[in-house]
Amino acid sequence: MSPMESDRLFMRRALALARRGAGWVSPNPMVGAVVVREGRVVGEGFHARAGLPHAEAEALRAAGEESRGATLYLNLEPCAHWGRTPPCVEAIVRAGIARVVVAVRDPNPLVSGRGIRYLRERGIEVVEGVMEEEARRANEAFFKFVTRRLPFVTWKYAVTLDGKVATRSGCSRWLSGEKARRWVHLLRSRTDAVLVGRGTVEADDPLLTSRLPRVHQPLRVVADSRLRLSPSARLFTVRAPLLLATTHLSPPEKRETFASLGAEVAILPEREGRVDVRALMELLARKEVTSVLLESGPTLAASLLEEGLIDKLYCVLTPKLLGGAGAPTPLGGAGRSRPEEAWKVKDLSLRRLGEDVLVEGYLDYSTGEGTGPES
């Protein structure tokens, strides 16, 4: 095995370890660490939860004296500043690590380049860029949150082969198969918040929780400009965090009612009678929500897309036909008047989820007339 192949092998293991922290470490990044001596793994670890030891500390503790002269593999540059825990670079130097392989630099200005420079100044060999693209994707929510102070928004929806998300009567349960539904619960457990509009709550009466055992439960967010939600909705029957995003158009007595049911009620600016979605994203960022799973109907999805706030999509394509000229489609709003103005989706990939097909892609705002994430 060549040195390059060996580095990729152990970095792949570091990335696998990092993903074990999904859902638990936010607003920190997911980090995995592997200590290798003479081609043999002698210690490994991952960041399990915000406030707990970092991956580097866990791996070095596991390796003990075998860290001396060893190589440390990290999917993200080690920190060189004090936070809730001491700087990881100091522990790396004390452990006697001779070589560090880093997939990607930390975008945090407090860290970026400083950790690598600290190690090199102390005689440690540092190799950068091994599986860099995979490492960026693994922490894509963290990268956006740190650089733009906005959550990374993933739009998930299920659609039939004729482009419908529900029947003409509004029924959407269940379009997708059992394996796809279980995958959604896993997705919820790995995100900070799940976002829907009032219409979705009225149509489906969802819990918006992950039904998998012993997992992180996301913050449930409902956009309802006038608080027309029913207090008897199932949302209020489970002990999981709930935020109702509303506007000054909602009656104060309704706000008090929902607050008494355990929900946090946030009053945000309104735009054309609806909750201003950019203000909502900024609020979530202030709450250190780094990732949002959008499971809404076509109106809220269109509002976020028109603002350039959706980063990624998961389309669950189910092998069914519903028909009906009035049956809803995934995206509402005014839409585009010409095909060349369409929002583009790039980096497409496909995989099977039982009887369904999952289409994954990233929004490309570099063309067309959308607001775009860089504006």
Side-chain angles (χ1 to χ4, degrees):
M1 184 184 299
S2 70
M4 183 178 298
E5 290 172 330
S6 178
D7 283 347
R8 288 182 63 85
L9 173 67
F10 293 120
M11 186 60 74
R12 195 171 293 114
R13 176 58 182 166
L15 280 164
L17 288 166
R19 292 187 181 99
R20 293 186 184 181
W24 296 107
V25 301
S26 182
N28 292 347
M30 296 181 292
V31 182
V34 179
V35 182
V36 177
R37 185 184 178 95
E38 299 177 353
R40 179 173 56 91
V41 174
V42 295
E44 57 183 30
F46 67 97
H47 186 35
R49 197 184 293 255
L52 293 183
H54 286 189
E56 298 92 329
E58 290 291 309
L60 294 171
R61 179 188 58 78
E65 285 301 310
E66 292 202 79
S67 296
R68 301 210 166 271
T71 296
L72 174 64
Y73 291 85
L74 297 168
N75 62 294
L76 190 70
E77 177 182 8
C79 62
H81 68 289
W82 275 87
R84 295 178 182 176
T85 59
C88 291
V89 289
E90 294 180 1
I92 293 170
V93 172
R94 285 198 306 272
I97 291 289
R99 179 173 179 260
V100 176
V101 181
V102 174
V104 64
R105 291 194 177 198
D106 193 323
N108 187 339
L110 292 173
V111 180
S112 188
R114 291 180 57 193
I116 290 171
R117 184 168 60 253
Y118 183 99
L119 296 175
R120 284 176 172 159
E121 288 174 350
R122 283 151 184 82
I124 296 176
E125 177 188 355
V126 180
V127 177
E128 297 184 65
V130 176
M131 299 186 69
E132 180 174 355
E133 183 58 29
E134 293 91 334
R136 285 183 182 275
R137 287 283 170 90
N139 273 310
E140 56 195 5
F142 173 75
F143 271 71
K144 180 183 179 183
F145 179 74
V146 167
T147 58
R148 297 185 51 218
R149 301 307 297 179
L150 286 172
F152 186 93
V153 179
T154 300
W155 178 27
K156 187 279 300 177
Y157 60 93
V159 63
T160 61
L161 289 178
D162 58 339
K164 309 297 183 182
V165 294
T167 66
R168 63 185 182 184
S169 64
C171 179
S172 61
R173 187 176 295 178
W174 296 103
L175 280 187
S176 55
E178 183 178 344
K179 189 168 184 178
R181 296 198 297 272
R182 181 174 176 81
W183 168 81
V184 170
H185 287 295
L186 179 63
L187 198 57
R188 288 177 182 173
S189 74
R190 292 177 172 177
T191 197
D192 291 348
V194 174
L195 171 63
V196 299
R198 175 180 57 86
T200 297
V201 177
E202 289 183 343
D204 299 336
D205 198 16
L207 291 173
L208 299 178
T209 56
S210 175
R211 254 77 97 204
L212 301 179
R214 297 181 299 280
V215 296
H216 159 77
Q217 291 296 345
L219 170 68
R220 301 168 301 154
V221 184
V222 181
D224 183 0
S225 60
R226 289 175 170 80
L227 284 184
R228 292 173 176 168
L229 278 175
S230 169
S232 62
R234 293 203 305 156
L235 285 170
F236 303 103
T237 65
V238 294
R239 296 182 63 183
L242 175 62
L243 171 69
L244 302 183
T246 189
T247 71
H248 66 88
L249 300 173
S250 62
E253 59 272 19
K254 283 284 192 75
R255 302 172 201 165
E256 294 174 5
T257 296
F258 289 120
S260 69
L261 293 173
E264 178 184 355
V265 179
I267 302 173
L268 296 172
E270 58 93 9
R271 185 183 296 185
E272 298 179 353
R274 298 190 179 97
V275 172
D276 184 319
V277 291
R278 184 166 290 275
L280 174 56
M281 290 301 111
E282 291 170 352
L283 169 68
L284 293 177
R286 290 194 295 274
K287 291 179 172 292
E288 295 193 319
V289 169
T290 67
S291 59
V292 172
L293 180 62
L294 176 66
E295 296 193 49
S296 75
T299 302
L300 182 55
S303 296
L304 284 154
L305 188 59
E306 287 164 358
E307 282 290 309
L309 292 169
I310 296 178
D311 300 285
K312 184 177 183 178
L313 67 80
Y314 282 125
C315 171
V316 178
L317 191 60
T318 186
K320 298 173 183 174
L321 302 170
L322 286 178
T329 59
L331 191 60
R336 298 308 206 197
S337 58
R338 299 190 304 273
E340 58 267 27
E341 297 174 352
W343 290 281
K344 303 296 193 304
V345 182
K346 63 182 179 180
D347 299 339
L348 286 179
S349 62
L350 305 174
R351 65 184 170 102
R352 294 293 296 268
L353 288 174
E355 64 189 33
D356 304 311
V357 175
L358 176 64
V359 182
E360 177 182 351
Y362 291 82
L363 271 296
D364 181 2
Y365 296 99
S366 62
T367 60
E369 301 174 1
T371 302
E374 301 304 325
S375 61

